[in-house]
């Protein structure tokens, strides 16, 4: 794959205007981010991210490395037939599943359920999303592992 451009994507400054972090990115011919090199305020490499994409330009794999090039984390993505994220699975450097997220959509593509489970600390979150007739998000309900609601957010629109 031919890399067509390298751009600084993001420069982060502290409150005194001093550079804290700089990201330098490589993109492919479809403008997909392939690699991101992250440097500290002294210009020393601190980490690297690399991404792979499918034929529909969906990110299917993201790898995070330390400054020495050792893999820290691997994130894999799966998609629905209409290119919406169906699942996201995060693995540690030993290829052990650490976090799993599943996403459910309506036939017209609206997200109606998101379930995330952190396996290393037994943390679980489920969110259910409801929409009004025009398709605006009107309610988000968060559930715990026992499927008991723990938070609810209502959104009201004025027409």
């Amino acid at each position: 794959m031919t890399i067509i451009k390298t751009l600084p994507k993001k420069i982060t400054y502290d409150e005194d205007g001093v550079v804290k972090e700089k990201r330098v990115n490589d993109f492919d011919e479809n403008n997909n981010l392939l690699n991101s090199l992250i440097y500290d305020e002294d210009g020393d490499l601190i980490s690297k991210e690399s991404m792979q994409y499918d034929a529909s330009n969906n990110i299917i794999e993201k790898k995070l490395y330390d400054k020495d090039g050792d893999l820290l984390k691997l994130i894999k993505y799966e998609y629905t037939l209409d290119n919406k994220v169906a699942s996201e699975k995060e693995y540690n450097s030993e290829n052990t599943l650490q976090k799993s997220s599943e996403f459910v959509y309506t036939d017209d593509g609206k997200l109606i359920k998101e379930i995330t489970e952190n396996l290393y600390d037994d943390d679980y979150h489920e969110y259910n999303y409801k929409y009004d007739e025009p398709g605006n998000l009107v309610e988000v309900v968060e559930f715990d592992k026992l499927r008991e609601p723990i938070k609810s957010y209502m959104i009201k629109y004025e027409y």
Side-chain angles (χ1 to χ4, degrees):
M1 191 172 281
T2 305
I3 297 175
I4 62 168
K5 60 183 175 178
T6 303
L7 299 172
K9 175 74 172 173
K10 180 180 177 185
I11 300 174
T12 306
Y13 300 91
D14 66 13
E15 61 276 352
D16 297 322
V18 178
V19 173
K20 290 179 63 177
E21 178 185 277
K22 179 180 177 184
R23 289 178 175 256
V24 178
N25 301 316
D26 293 326
F27 298 85
D28 66 15
E29 62 273 5
N30 296 318
N31 279 336
N32 293 319
L33 178 61
L34 295 176
N35 296 297
S36 185
L37 301 174
I38 298 100
Y39 298 90
D40 66 13
E41 66 275 1
D42 297 322
D44 295 324
L45 181 67
I46 55 175
S47 62
K48 176 185 173 185
E49 298 174 349
S50 69
M51 282 61 74
Q52 292 182 355
Y53 300 84
D54 64 15
S56 298
N57 291 312
N58 295 314
I59 186 169
I60 56 171
E61 190 173 274
K62 181 177 182 179
K63 292 180 180 178
L64 293 96
Y65 300 91
D66 66 14
K67 66 179 181 180
D68 298 320
D70 295 323
L71 182 67
L72 297 173
K73 185 187 304 184
L74 167 66
I75 304 170
K76 293 184 178 184
Y77 303 87
E78 293 179 351
Y79 294 84
T80 64
L81 293 176
D82 57 345
N83 294 314
K84 298 203 177 291
V85 177
S87 71
E88 179 180 317
K89 298 195 184 313
E90 185 177 304
Y91 301 85
N92 65 14
S93 60
E94 288 83 37
N95 204 30
T96 302
L97 183 62
Q98 297 292 295
K99 180 179 174 183
S100 177
S101 297
E102 304 291 328
F103 305 91
V104 179
Y105 302 89
T106 62
D107 290 340
D108 62 346
K110 293 199 177 0
L111 179 65
I112 55 172
K113 185 179 285 193
E114 176 183 346
I115 300 170
T116 300
E117 188 169 9
N118 291 313
L119 303 169
Y120 59 90
D121 65 3
D122 202 35
D123 191 25
Y124 176 93
H125 294 279
E126 178 178 329
Y127 300 93
N128 287 356
Y129 302 94
K130 294 182 184 175
Y131 301 86
D132 63 11
E133 192 63 34
N136 299 309
L137 180 65
V138 294
E139 184 179 15
V140 179
V141 180
E142 182 179 357
F143 296 89
D144 63 16
K145 198 169 195 165
L146 300 174
R147 297 267 312 126
E148 296 291 330
I150 55 175
K151 291 182 187 172
S152 180
Y153 306 93
M154 303 290 289
I155 303 164
K156 184 176 181 179
Y157 299 91
E158 293 185 23
Y159 300 99

